[in-house]
Amino acid sequence: QCSRRFYECAFVNAKSNSSMNILHYIVGYAHYFCTGTGILCQSPEFSSSSESVENFDLEKVVTVKNCVASFVFLWSMWHQLRAHKIFAELKVKNPNKHGIPHGDLFELVSCPHYFCEVLIYTSLSVILGLSHSHILAVWLWVVVNQTVAAFMSHSWYNKHFQDYPKERRAIYPYLL
């Protein structure tokens, strides 16, 4: 996640004079740091409650469930990157004004990058399982945070663009 986010910031985002609220920056930094640390702390050989490596069974790890979750994780990362590229292209075309993004998952939702973030953390939660309390707390935070942010963005688009596509949902295709 962190390396993908760095790549997007360094090579995908279009440069602008806009700035980020320092509180958002601090929350984002804390989120990524605490998520990674929390996952490691509840991983085998990092936690005293974990089974030892000697009892490691690859067949318990490589399951259909984990393979599907891994596919969803990779699919979501790809489409999140696509959404950020579409945003960057829109900013390059119209550097001084907002526009309506089109293409890929933007045809279904206003905030596909938020939708994909929810899917990324959902897939991580599925892979790590219900006993991994840290990822479940992070997953709940991401779902609530991204859903609220998507509704705010969706409302903003509808308020500022009379021709905004009415069939688009805020974050979850065909639902919300």
Side-chain angles (χ1 to χ4, degrees):
Q1 276 287 75
C2 290
S3 58
R4 179 191 49 82
R5 191 72 186 113
F6 172 76
Y7 171 79
E8 289 171 354
C9 289
F11 302 108
V12 175
N13 290 345
K15 307 293 184 236
S16 73
N17 292 329
S18 63
S19 60
M20 179 183 221
N21 181 310
I22 188 69
L23 184 60
H24 287 168
Y25 179 80
I26 292 168
V27 168
Y29 186 81
H31 167 76
Y32 285 120
F33 176 78
C34 292
T35 298
T37 304
I39 288 171
L40 281 176
C41 288
Q42 285 189 312
S43 296
E45 296 306 307
F46 280 86
S47 172
S48 60
S49 65
S50 299
E51 294 180 12
S52 70
V53 174
E54 296 166 359
N55 295 332
F56 182 76
D57 185 1
L58 189 60
E59 290 179 6
K60 289 182 181 177
V61 176
V62 182
T63 64
V64 171
K65 175 190 73 140
N66 286 351
C67 288
V68 169
S70 296
F71 174 79
V72 169
F73 180 89
L74 294 172
W75 182 91
S76 300
M77 285 187 73
W78 172 256
H79 285 281
Q80 191 174 54
L81 177 62
R82 293 272 309 123
H84 289 143
K85 285 182 177 182
I86 291 169
F87 278 136
E89 291 166 3
L90 195 59
K91 192 186 283 186
V92 168
K93 286 179 187 173
N94 299 304
N96 297 319
K97 67 177 191 170
H98 291 282
I100 300 172
H102 291 282
D104 201 44
L105 295 176
F106 280 108
E107 301 309 316
L108 300 173
V109 295
S110 295
C111 301
H113 52 310
Y114 296 159
F115 173 59
C116 290
E117 189 80 359
V118 169
L119 288 178
I120 286 167
Y121 282 94
T122 300
S123 61
L124 281 174
S125 298
V126 167
I127 291 168
L128 294 171
L130 294 175
S131 63
H132 204 290
S133 58
H134 178 80
I135 196 65
L136 295 177
V138 170
W139 174 82
L140 183 60
W141 158 255
V142 168
V143 168
V144 170
N145 176 276
Q146 300 297 277
T147 302
V148 169
F151 273 105
M152 291 170 62
S153 295
H154 187 69
S155 295
W156 185 90
Y157 278 121
N158 280 305
K159 180 180 177 183
H160 289 88
F161 296 100
Q162 290 180 345
D163 59 338
Y164 195 71
K166 300 295 181 211
E167 65 279 359
R168 276 193 201 174
R169 302 294 187 210
I171 184 169
Y172 303 110
Y174 310 108
L175 299 174
L176 298 173

